[in-house]
Structures are given as C-alpha cells and as structure tokens.
Amino acid sequence: MKQIQMVDLVTQYEKIKSEVNTATQEVFQTAQFINGPEVKAFQSELEQYLNVKHVIPCANGTDALQIALMALGLKPGDEVITSDFTFAATVEVIGLLNLTPILVDVNRDDFNISIEAIKKAITPKTKAIIPVHLFGQCANMDAIMEIAKEHNLFVVEDTAQAIGAVYTTKDGEKHAAGAIGNVGTTSFFPSKNLGCYGDGGALYTNDDKLAAIIRSIVNHGMGKRYYYDRLGVNSRLDSVQAAVLRIKLRHLDTYIQSRQTAAQFYNDYFKNIAEIETPVIADNSTHVFHQYTLKIKGLDQFKLQTYMQEKGIPAMIYYPMPLHTQEAYGADNFKHEDFAITNELCESVISLPMHTELDSEQLNYICSNLVDYIKNSK
Ligand SMILES: *Cc1c(COP(=O)(O)O)cnc(C)c1O
C-alpha cells in the first residue's frame, strides 16, 4: 500500500506533470513573472468558473481577507462578527485593522457560524459579518444575507476551504460559494482544494465599484499610474502560480468528485459505529470536503490521533482551541460559556486524510484501524 498522507500533492502532481512543466517553463521563457498574461487568463477563467463579474488575484488568503475589509472602508472600533471555530487568519485580519472581532458560536451539525449567535451579537457598532464556509460547505447564506440587509451590514465570505462549493438559495438560485456576499475571499495555499505551488489568493465580487477599489488596494492604492488614492498593500499572485492554477482549475471538478467519493467511502464504513458521527451535509450547499471531520463520542481524540499515527495514518485536530480563548484576539472580552458548541467541538473533532489521490486500499486501512481502536478501547 502506498504511504498515506493527509494531503498527497506529489501523486497529484505526477498526473499533471507534463501540463504543469510545459506551462511553467513558458513563464520562465517569457520572464513575465508579475502580472503576466497567465495571471489575466487565470483571472478570467476563474470568473467564468465561479460565474462572478470580478476576480482579483492576490498573494494569499489572509491578504484577501484583509484587503476585503480595507475595501469596505471600515473604521477602527467597528465590530466584525465571525466564527469562533475557524482558522486564525479570519480573526487576525480584523484585529490588524483595529476593528473589533466579535466571535460567535457555531452550529454543531455543520460547524458553521450560528445564525442565532449572530443575531445576539449585533450592536449599533456592527458593520460586517464574515461567514467562513468551513471544511468545504457553505454557511446559511440565506439567513446571513437577510440579517445583513436588515441591519445594513457587509458580508465577506471566507471561501478558503470551499472553492467549488455551490449554494442554492431559498429561491432556488445556484451561486458559487463566495459569490453571494459583498466580497468572497479564497486561498490557493498548496493544500487547499484549488492549491498552487506556493502562496496565492483571490477576492471575488459582483460589485463594479468595490472591484475597482480592491484592484487599487492590491497595488499600493494606486488609481491612475503614480496617483495614490488610498493606502494599499502589495499583494499579487505571480505568473508561475497562475500557470499552475490554470491547469488545476481545469481539473477542479474531478478533484472535488474524488474528495466526495472518499467521503462517501468513510460515511458508509462508519454508518453503524455509535462512537462516530460522520459529517452532516446541509440541504442548501454541496460539500467539497476540504476536510473530512468526524465527531468522536466518549473517546479522547488526541489518544486516537496518536494511535492512528502509530499505524502510519495521519489525522489532524482542526481545531483544538476555540479562538475566543486566544490572547491575541481579546480572550478577556469573551465569556467561555457563550461558546458551548465550539468548546465541545474542540474536544471531539478529528479530521481524517482527505485528498484527491486516496485509493480504496488506503481508505479501507484507515477505516479498519479506526474501528479496531474503538472496539479495543471499550
Ligand atoms: C487557509 C485559510 C485562510 C488563509 O489562507 P492563506 O492563503 O494561508 O493566507 C483563511 N481562512 C481560512 C478559513 C483558511 O482555511
């Protein structure tokens, strides 16, 4: 059996090697490393794929979030509501801009931001909500957009883990994750569902004015050449990464299918195991399985992780610590008991290997070892 990895980018590369090598060589030969034709081509191909008016590439997913908040013109002290159960970057950028992060609890089922918790957290200072489409599945965007409309709030969708997911609104319209709020942001970090071979990210929007502001911010706040209209940053996707992304975008739907097939294998195997809760699929969103995350009942997830590692199976705890307990994000401002679900999840989740190259021998090995552990620990 081939060694099991949490994410197997080497085997994936082997299958697209000649395409990638040709495309990247071409970039080397034309030496248009920054803002070359590959970047423009990728931008418009991603616009088509997502069916959004504007894609603005940038240097990474964290920058994308920061630039989104900068573009909305928020003022220091404005409150931004986001999820307590996410990757740190989402909250970090709020603090970096001297905005106030208001963390709220999540749903137990789908790990996404709780609508009830958002409603409770709104104050006159609230200016934006950042739903994170965690692990590959969209948050409840119908409800979030309704709240945003009622309270005149911006919505920035953190789509770093859910590129390719499709959300169906209550009117039956289908939208790409990230194309519903004012701005969507994503990451092309290598292990993300659409990953490049270094760092990369993008913002999406259907709003022409906002797109123009974002385009200016990623390029030092420049409007006309050498006229600086606002403070910006230097955040760009380089041409080599764009060349890789153009190729991988053509395979993205197949990659998503491979992840869904692996998830189905896991689901079927664990169906009758009382100690394991498999991921819940929402009615209104497809699931692109950036992570395949179980909730484990009555077992210590860290002991399980160690056992799996001894068997040559990587498994990760995403995430072991609620963000409201972190010094950097104003732990003192939050009450631990307001985060009952996140607190519980941090003590019960474990993510199994999930990528595009898992074969049934590997899947069988992972599942049988996990089930053996549970039987033996009774
Ligand atoms: C990966 C990730 C980011 C940050 O992306 P980078 O490209 O690593 O900066 C932001 N939010 C979430 C939810 C992520 O998973």
Side-chain angles (χ1 to χ4, degrees), residues 118-119 122 126-129 141-155 170-171 180-182:
I118 295 176
K119 286 182 180 162
I122 288 177
T126 310
K127 290 285 148 42
I129 309 171
M141 289 306 293
D142 282 316
I144 290 167
M145 295 312 289
E146 247 168 58
I147 296 172
K149 202 169 164 197
E150 189 187 331
H151 297 273
N152 203 15
L153 310 175
F154 296 113
V155 176
K170 58 182 188 317
D171 309 327
I180 302 166
N182 301 86

Side-chain angles (χ1 to χ4, degrees), residues 60-62 65 86-87 89-90 132 158 160-161 187 189 192 200:
N60 58 67
T62 309
L65 284 160
T86 173
F87 179 59
T90 322
V132 182
D158 182 347
Q161 301 190 3
S187 163
F189 185 78
K192 298 282 153 94

Side-chain angles (χ1 to χ4, degrees), residues 267-281:
N267 283 344
D268 291 344
Y269 204 105
F270 299 138
K271 204 166 43 201
N272 298 317
I273 313 288
E275 290 83 355
I276 298 178
E277 267 185 72
T278 55
V280 174
I281 312 274

Side-chain angles (χ1 to χ4, degrees), residues 231-261:
L231 288 179
V233 294
N234 168 20
S235 186
R236 47 200 172 206
L237 182 72
D238 66 69
S239 307
V240 173
Q241 302 312 333
V244 173
L245 286 166
R246 289 187 71 195
I247 291 159
K248 290 185 68 173
L249 180 59
R250 287 173 215 143
H251 297 279
L252 182 57
D253 286 338
T254 317
Y255 289 158
I256 291 171
Q257 274 165 22
S258 306
R259 288 172 178 274
Q260 289 168 337
T261 304

Side-chain angles (χ1 to χ4, degrees), residues 62 65 82-96 101 103 130 132 134 158 161 192 319 321-323 326 328-329:
T62 309
L65 284 160
T82 193
S83 169
D84 190 36
F85 191 63
T86 173
F87 179 59
T90 322
V91 183
E92 175 184 48
V93 296
I94 301 172
L96 272 175
L103 296 169
I130 309 183
V132 182
L134 203 73
D158 182 347
Q161 301 190 3
K192 298 282 153 94
Y319 296 94
M321 293 276 288
L323 294 178
Q326 307 283 348
Y329 312 134

Side-chain angles (χ1 to χ4, degrees), residues 204-218:
Y204 344 131
T205 184
N206 286 310
D207 178 332
D208 297 340
K209 269 196 202 143
L210 208 46
I213 296 173
I214 292 167
R215 268 185 229 294
S216 148
I217 292 176
V218 298

